[in-house]
Amino acid sequence: MFEDREDAGRRLAELVGERSYRDPVVLGLPRGGVVVAAQVARLIGAPLDLVVVRKLGAPGNPELGIGAVAEDGAMVVNEALVARLRVGEGQLDRIANRERRELERRVAAYRTDPPVPLDGKTAIIVDDGLATGYTARAAVAAARLRGADRVVVAVPVAAPETAAEFEVLVDELLCVELPAMLLGVGGAYADFTQTTDDAVVSLLRGPAGEDVEIPCGEVFAEGVLTVPAGASGVVVFAHGSGSSRLSPRNRAVASGLNAAGLGTLLFDLLTPEEATDRRLVFDIPLLADRLSSAAAWLGGRVRGPMGFFGSSTGAAAALWAAAERDDVAAVVGRGGRPDLAEARLPAVRAPVRLIVGGDDAVVLELNEMARSRLSGVTDLAVIPGAGHLFEEAGALERVTDLAADWFVRWMADAV
């Protein structure tokens, strides 16, 4: 039914994209489910995270699931199957403890930053298929423990009887293929090669790239530089409001820009200690100076046009730095505070596109005011129905498309 997990993910993403979910977070089940989930998260513009789950295999037949355990302590058991196989309580405990040890190992291996908060959000749990479904059941329990307001399970393929059970277990079940008989999930794929731990970590980190240290005055900033073959330019990200290079939203945008043939540099404007100081978060001259230092470092390392992408206070830093440099081909701000760079706005020569959510009334007014101060080519793109964080279905994908269009257009002229 599917060429591989990426093919399955693209087809599932089309189905999920037809819906509209409030504050969605896509949760992949390691390992193979994360490959599918990454495609879904990219299409709907949602953060990608995971729920680590381990199947409890029957004694003498580990492929037969009699239950599952998940991080956060969630555990589900097929009581009827346990009774039929005469699995004693002590035996079940030993199986569960063994799988918890492996679960702890995987959590340590996969998680490079804290889990995405689920309080009040829609958790979209994605696996590569549902056979007995007990790992997905444990994931559902874990998502509810983490405070998810709604839980959706989305899979490429499912056994009909399992799908029927999930219809009443979750708020919504989405499935691309529902064959009359499913002997095993792997049978639905031409290529069902096992996914590696490294692949899971790479997908969660976003665009693959080179870890770099950038000299910025008295500090060294940690960053990730990604330059696809034949890149038409490199976009430097300026995170704001205490965010970092690990921001799920900016990583999602960076991945989209990479797919459009653009390089990206995501780096931390502030050290972890500095990021807790609200005064520094709003110190636009400091942020702009560090952004300019990163741009100078990049210019000595990668040839070609350069652009700035700023979010929140980072948008002001991007405009401030662009006003002082003549090598910036274009600037894009996402939900930003360009008004904080008011004194430097008339000096910005690079073409500027400001992207704002239609429901973000205060920030929209501030962007309109800032645009009136810019003297060069400008564009104000308003995404209807989107809020400040662009968490609505498809909103972040629209941000990515608008940013890629702007950078590609003006970088082509700068070559």
Side-chain angles (χ1 to χ4, degrees):
M1 299 176 188
F2 307 102
E3 294 178 10
D4 52 24
R5 290 183 180 89
E6 289 189 354
D7 172 52
R10 287 189 289 268
R11 291 174 58 183
L12 180 61
E14 292 177 2
L15 182 61
V16 176
E18 294 173 359
R19 272 72 170 171
S20 179
Y21 296 111
R22 180 178 178 274
D23 296 339
V25 177
V26 178
L27 303 172
L29 270 63
R31 289 180 289 211
V34 178
V35 180
V36 181
Q39 297 291 332
V40 175
R42 183 188 64 80
L43 179 67
I44 69 172
L48 172 64
D49 200 357
L50 51 74
V51 178
V52 184
V53 183
R54 289 293 295 172
K55 177 174 64 179
L56 302 181
N61 186 8
E63 291 303 312
L64 177 62
I66 58 175
V69 291
E71 56 182 319
D72 303 317
M75 176 174 172
V76 294
V77 177
N78 185 335
E79 300 288 356
L81 186 55
V82 165
R84 189 163 74 244
L85 296 176
R86 299 180 180 179
V87 180
E89 184 176 346
Q91 193 174 25
L92 181 61
D93 286 342
R94 287 192 294 274
I95 295 171
N97 289 335
R98 182 181 67 241
E99 295 304 330
R100 285 193 182 100
R101 288 193 294 272
E102 173 60 16
L103 186 147
E104 291 171 358
R105 183 198 71 78
R106 292 195 177 195
V107 169
Y110 299 153
R111 289 212 178 277
T112 57
D113 51 324
V116 176
L118 296 183
D119 290 335
K121 299 182 183 293
T122 301
I124 304 177
I125 296 171
V126 177
D127 203 358
D128 47 21
L130 291 178
T132 62
Y134 270 87
T135 53
R137 285 174 182 266
V140 169
R144 295 201 191 282
L145 282 174
R146 285 169 59 182
D149 182 56
R150 286 173 52 83
V151 178
V152 176
V153 169
V155 292
V157 64
E161 62 276 11
T162 303
E165 294 169 358
F166 271 80
E167 290 281 2
V168 297
L169 180 66
V170 297
D171 294 288
E172 187 175 10
L173 172 70
L174 299 178
C175 184
V176 178
E177 297 286 353
L178 199 65
M181 180 179 293
L182 182 68
L183 299 178
V185 172
Y189 292 80
D191 180 358
F192 200 62
T193 304
Q194 187 178 43
T195 304
T196 65
D197 285 348
D198 287 344
V200 171
V201 173
S202 177
L203 288 167
L204 290 172
R205 289 188 61 180
E210 176 189 0
D211 291 330
V212 294
E213 282 194 343
I214 305 164
C216 294
E218 297 179 353
V219 303
F220 280 85
E222 295 187 24
V224 179
L225 175 63
T226 304
V227 184
S232 55
V234 180
V235 178
V236 185
F237 279 63
H239 312 286
S241 300
S243 186
S244 74
R245 70 191 187 285
L246 301 176
S247 161
R249 293 180 184 86
N250 281 337
R251 282 161 50 191
V253 174
S255 180
L257 297 185
N258 296 153
L262 295 164
T264 52
L265 173 62
L266 292 88
F267 78 106
D268 296 345
L269 283 166
L270 299 174
T271 67
E273 294 76 21
E274 291 174 334
T276 63
D277 188 337
R278 295 294 294 174
R279 294 170 302 174
L280 296 181
V281 169
F282 285 89
D283 188 341
I284 305 306
L286 171 66
L287 301 181
D289 182 64
R290 291 189 177 175
L291 177 58
S292 187
S293 295
W297 173 89
L298 181 65
R301 190 181 182 99
V302 180
R303 291 187 176 183
M306 179 190 312
F308 288 163
F309 180 94
S311 55
S312 190
T313 55
L319 290 164
W320 191 296
E324 299 179 350
R325 304 186 65 89
D326 58 8
D327 58 351
V328 180
V331 178
V332 172
R334 172 185 68 82
R337 291 291 309 276
D339 56 294
L340 296 176
E342 182 178 6
R344 303 297 295 145
L345 294 179
V348 177
R349 296 175 295 280
V352 177
R353 167 168 278 174
L354 303 174
I355 305 173
V356 187
D359 291 350
D360 195 7
V362 173
V363 172
L364 177 56
E365 182 178 350
L366 293 172
N367 274 258
E368 289 173 337
M369 180 182 67
R371 185 190 182 192
S372 69
R373 296 275 294 160
L374 291 163
S375 57
V377 177
T378 63
D379 178 67
L380 179 61
V382 179
I383 300 180
H388 184 62
L389 297 178
F390 300 92
E391 296 177 307
E392 298 76 14
L396 198 60
E397 183 186 27
R398 183 62 181 146
V399 169
T400 303
D401 290 343
L402 287 166
D405 171 74
W406 194 254
F407 285 125
V408 169
R409 181 196 313 179
W410 293 106
M411 284 181 174
D413 289 348
V415 174

